């Protein structure tokens, strides 16, 4: 049973719900040392290929066995947006691990900062340890909102 926040319920003292945090109880912030080596290698290889301007190859290797590639239009848009980011923010020069979260031993979210020549971008990758394929990426997001990497703002 999930708690659902409703403004209507909050105004009625009889049905006031407690604050609800939708994050899993087991979600724990992790350091780079705690991230499985397969995930670190995948992301390092991805950024190295992107820095070398091999964007298609970077995505092809990162999304091997992933369902991301089955959504062809979205997959192509992600590649195109990555290339467009070079025009907007400059080439990616380097990248830095920021943090990760472990929801379960087989489900991780990792955050990186890509250091472009003019402006950084925030990257968020979600990985799943598939019993069939091993570590696969389930989701890739990037944006130009690096301030959201800080907590408490």
């Amino acid at each position: 049973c999930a708690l659902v926040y409703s403004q209507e319920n909050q105004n009625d003292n009889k049905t006031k719900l407690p604050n609800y945090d939708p994050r899993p109880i087991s979600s724990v912030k992790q350091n780079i040392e705690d991230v499985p080596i397969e995930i670190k290698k995948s992301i390092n290889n991805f950024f190295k290929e992107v820095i070398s301007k091999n964007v298609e190859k970077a995505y092809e290797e990162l999304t091997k066995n992933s369902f991301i590639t089955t959504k062809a239009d979205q997959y192509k848009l992600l590649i195109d947006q990555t290339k467009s980011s070079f025009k907007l923010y400059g080439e990616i020069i380097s990248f830095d691990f920021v943090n990760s979260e472990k929801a379960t031993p087989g489900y991780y979210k990792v955050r990186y900062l890509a250091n472009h020549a003019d402006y950084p971008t925030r990257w968020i990758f979600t990985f799943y340890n598939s019993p069939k394929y091993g570590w696969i990426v389930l989701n890739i997001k990037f944006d130009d909102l690096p301030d959201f990497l800080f907590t408490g703002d």
Side-chain angles (χ1 to χ4, degrees), residues 24 34 42 44-45 59-60 80 95 99 122 129 135 145:
D34 301 319
S42 291
N44 286 342
N45 291 339
Y59 277 103
E60 184 180 311
D80 292 344
F95 58 97
N99 62 33
R122 173 179 68 151
N129 195 1
W135 288 103
L145 303 170

Side-chain angles (χ1 to χ4, degrees), residues 67-80:
F67 286 104
I68 291 174
T69 59
T70 64
K71 300 174 184 175
D73 291 343
Q74 292 177 355
Y75 183 67
K76 183 182 179 327
L77 182 61
L78 186 60
I79 292 170
D80 292 344

